[in-house]
Amino acid sequence: MSTGESVSINEKKIDGYIKKLGIEKAVNINVSKIRGELKTKYIGHKIYAFQEVDSTNIIAKFLAGVGVEEGTIVIARSQIKGKGRRGKKWESPLGGIWLSIIVHPEISPQQASLITLGAGVAVTKAIRKLGVDARIKWPNDILIGDKKISGILTEANSKFHTLDYIVVGIGIDSNLDLNSISKKTKIRATTLKDELKRNIDERILIKNLLEEFENIYEHFKNEDFEEILYEWRSLSQTIGSYVVIEQPFGKILKGYVVGINNQGSLILELDNGELKKVISGESHITEISKI
Ligand code: BTN
C-alpha cells in the first residue's frame, strides 16, 4: 500500500472517530499561529484542537493507535473527564493548558518511564522562561513553592515486547480561576496568572513547551538518559528533602532523598540509615533542604 493510501485511510478513521465523539474544533486556539511560530522539527507540526473533550489522552491514544505522525498534539480548552496519575480525576476547566503529545520512539518498554522525567524537565523549563521559580517534585509534579502548577500523565502501549507509542499528557494551570476548581484541589494548587499577577500568553507557553519537549525527546531517542537525569536533578525540589512516600497498596516510606538513579528511581535514606530504592509512589515533601 502506498503512503498516500494509508494516509487517507487514517484520515477517514480519524474523521469517523471525531464525528462519533461529537466534539467540536476549538475556536479560540489559533492552531496555525502556534504552528507558524514553532521552531521544532516535528513536535507540534500536526495539532488537533477541540473545545471540550473527555480527556486529550484518550483521543491521543486513539490517534497513536492508527499511527499518526510523530509529535502530533491533541489540545482542548476544557476536559470533562481529565485523567490524573494513580487513577485520580484531573480538574480541567477553561483557563488551563490541557494537551497530549504522541510519540513512537524505538526504545525498549523498560526505558519508557524516563520520558516522564524528561517531560517534567521540559514543562519546568518552559514555565521558568516566564520568570517563575518552578521546580519538580518526584516523580513529575511541577511546583511553585509548595503549590502544584502542572501535572504529567504518561501512558504507553506495547505490542509484542516492543513499544508501540507513548502519549505524554500535560496539564498546566495557566490562566485558570482557582475558584473554578474544588476546594480540595485549590488548597494545593496555584496558577501562573496568580503567580505573575497577569494573564499569560498561552501561545508563548505552548511554543516554549513543545520546543523544550523536542530537545529533551531527542536525548531520549538517542538513549542519552544521563542528560535528562542531569537536568532533572538540577530542577528537582525533592533531592535533599525529607519526604514521606505513599506507595501503591498504602505502604508508607519516610526518609531523606539522596538522589535518583539512572532508571529514575528515588534513593531514600531511611531513618535507620538504610538506603532504599523507590520505583513508584507519590512523594510529599515535609522539609526542604537548605543545602
Ligand atoms: C497528575 O495527576 O499530576 C497528572 C495530570 C495530567 C493531566 C493532563 S491534562 C492533559 C492530559 N489529559 C488528561 O486526561 N490528563 C493529562
Side-chain angles (χ1 to χ4, degrees):
M1 189 188 287
S2 77
T3 322
E5 279 170 347
S6 72
V7 165
S8 65
I9 288 172
N10 259 355
E11 276 167 7
K12 269 188 196 152
K13 274 191 197 159
I14 294 168
D15 283 350
Y17 174 74
I18 291 172
K19 233 184 216 151
K20 204 167 137 201
L21 292 180
I23 50 181
E24 284 170 32
K25 281 197 180 141
V27 280
N28 279 355
I29 305 176
N30 194 335
V31 169
S32 42
K33 194 130 200 221
I34 297 176
R35 252 192 327 247
E37 289 168 350
L38 263 183
K39 288 195 181 72
T40 55
K41 285 184 276 173
Y42 49 91
I43 298 288
H45 284 208
K46 178 86 193 159
I47 302 179
Y48 290 87
F50 301 104
Q51 282 296 106
E52 184 170 70
V53 299
D54 276 354
S55 153
T56 55
N57 266 29
I58 295 178
I59 297 176
K61 283 194 283 180
F62 173 83
L63 297 180
V66 298
V68 289
E69 66 196 65
E70 183 79 339
T72 297
I73 308 292
V74 182
I75 184 165
R77 296 191 67 219
S78 65
Q79 299 184 117
I80 305 164
K81 292 181 187 159
K83 300 200 291 176
R85 288 177 57 236
R86 305 174 55 177
K88 290 186 189 157
K89 186 176 183 282
W90 179 261
E91 294 184 46
S92 338
L94 287 175
I97 295 174
W98 323 122
L99 66 81
S100 303
I101 308 172
I102 301 161
V103 284
H104 303 270
E106 284 174 12
I107 217 150
S108 80
Q110 290 74 31
Q111 290 167 319
S113 64
L114 283 174
I115 189 77
T116 308
L117 297 187
V121 169
V123 176
T124 308
K125 287 175 85 175
I127 292 177
R128 289 176 77 87
K129 277 192 176 156
L130 300 178
V132 287
D133 186 21
R135 301 212 149 253
I136 313 172
K137 179 167 76 76
W138 184 85
N140 57 0
D141 284 344
I142 317 302
L143 307 184
I144 296 178
D146 61 353
K147 305 270 188 184
K148 184 158 168 171
I149 190 80
S150 169
I152 298 161
L153 174 68
T154 308
E155 299 187 78
N157 188 49
S158 301
K159 268 186 199 158
F160 309 111
H161 308 295
T162 321
L163 197 60
D164 182 22
Y165 64 76
I166 305 180
V167 163
V168 182
I170 298 168
I172 305 178
D173 294 344
S174 44
N175 291 328
L176 197 92
D177 179 354
L178 281 175
N179 292 323
S180 64
I181 56 176
S182 66
K183 274 196 185 137
K184 198 174 141 234
T185 310
K186 186 178 157 179
I187 46 167
R188 289 179 292 112
T190 187
T191 71
L192 288 168
K193 179 171 90 171
D194 285 312
E195 295 295 327
L196 292 164
K197 313 277 180 270
R198 60 172 167 89
N199 269 329
I200 63 129
D201 186 336
E202 290 177 329
R203 230 179 49 231
I204 295 178
L205 180 56
I206 293 169
K207 171 184 149 63
N208 289 346
L209 169 62
L210 299 180
E211 289 173 359
E212 292 292 351
F213 183 83
E214 186 170 280
N215 279 340
I216 211 92
Y217 180 63
E218 284 286 305
H219 289 297
F220 179 73
K221 275 199 310 187
N222 296 331
E223 304 193 18
D224 179 9
F225 304 129
E226 252 322 302
E227 178 61 26
I228 300 179
L229 292 165
Y230 171 80
E231 294 222 49
W232 192 94
R233 287 183 187 108
S234 67
L235 293 167
S236 159
Q237 190 176 78
T238 309
I239 293 177
S241 302
Y242 190 84
V243 297
V244 176
I245 309 264
E246 259 179 71
Q247 290 200 295
F249 308 110
K251 199 172 167 203
I252 300 281
L253 288 171
K254 291 178 186 174
Y256 272 99
V257 180
V258 291
I260 53 166
N261 69 9
N262 290 351
Q263 285 76 47
S265 301
L266 210 61
I267 308 296
L268 212 60
E269 187 183 322
L270 302 180
D271 294 342
N272 63 8
E274 185 194 329
L275 287 183
K276 179 108 190 154
K277 186 173 89 179
V278 188
I279 299 168
S280 65
E282 184 93 24
S283 70
H284 302 280
I285 298 174
T286 57
E287 187 184 300
I288 296 175
S289 157
K290 305 273 181 302
I291 335 169

